[in-house]
Amino acid sequence: MEPAVLVIIVLIALIVGALALYLGMTIRALLKINQGLGVALVSVGEIASKTAPVNGVLDAINATLLAGRNLLEGLFLQKAGPDAAGLVESAFPGEGARFLARVGRRGEVVHIGETYPRGEAILNSLLGAPPPSAAPPAPVARMSALGTRPWER
């Protein structure tokens, strides 16, 4: 046999041996993962069986919250009238159209002219504060005559 052929056979044997070693290590790692998953699945099964009664309670809570939301939206429509969707849009950008769809109305959302950060709108509604557009105008002439703003003194 020629030396070149022998070298090629030895190289092929080394490559096949390296692949067999790599595949053997991969199989060993997969078996280890399989054992770990077997242990984890038992724990997951226990958690699922222990939390199964909670699903009914959560469904009942969600149904009650949905009914409450529907009542509040109906009241909001009565009080705010055609501006209701605009108010919702101002407090929660992107929600005005969804609000109209939920209450079964169509049309474009008419903005009320102000866009509130979410937290500010919620805080104002809880405190009963008027929106910034409804606030009385600031005494501009007096502040400019003093030369400073009240909060910068």
Side-chain angles (χ1 to χ4, degrees), residues 13-36:
L14 286 174
I15 290 172
V16 169
L19 287 174
L21 181 65
Y22 175 74
L23 289 175
M25 290 178 5
T26 302
I27 290 170
R28 182 192 287 159
L30 288 173
L31 288 172
K32 194 173 185 181
I33 290 170
N34 187 23
Q35 290 172 351

Side-chain angles (χ1 to χ4, degrees), residues 1 11 21-22 27-28 46 60 62-65 76 78-79 91 93-94 113 115 121 131 133 137 144 146 151:
M1 196 183 296
L11 285 176
L21 181 65
Y22 175 74
I27 290 170
R28 182 192 287 159
E46 289 177 18
N62 285 335
T64 305
L65 288 174
F76 191 53
Q78 287 178 351
K79 295 295 182 180
T115 301
S133 61
S144 63
L146 294 174
W151 58 85

Side-chain angles (χ1 to χ4, degrees), residues 139-150 153:
V140 177
R142 182 173 169 253
M143 283 196 303
S144 63
L146 294 174
T148 61
R149 296 183 181 108
R153 290 182 197 166

Side-chain angles (χ1 to χ4, degrees), residues 76-102:
F76 191 53
L77 278 172
Q78 287 178 351
K79 295 295 182 180
D83 291 335
L87 290 169
V88 170
E89 182 70 26
S90 295
F92 306 100
E95 288 294 319
R98 291 185 192 136
F99 173 77
L100 284 177
R102 276 195 309 268

Side-chain angles (χ1 to χ4, degrees), residues 112-139:
I112 63 168
E114 289 290 335
T115 301
Y116 305 104
R118 182 175 181 159
E120 180 183 344
I122 292 171
L123 184 61
N124 283 342
S125 69
L126 291 173
L127 297 175
S133 61

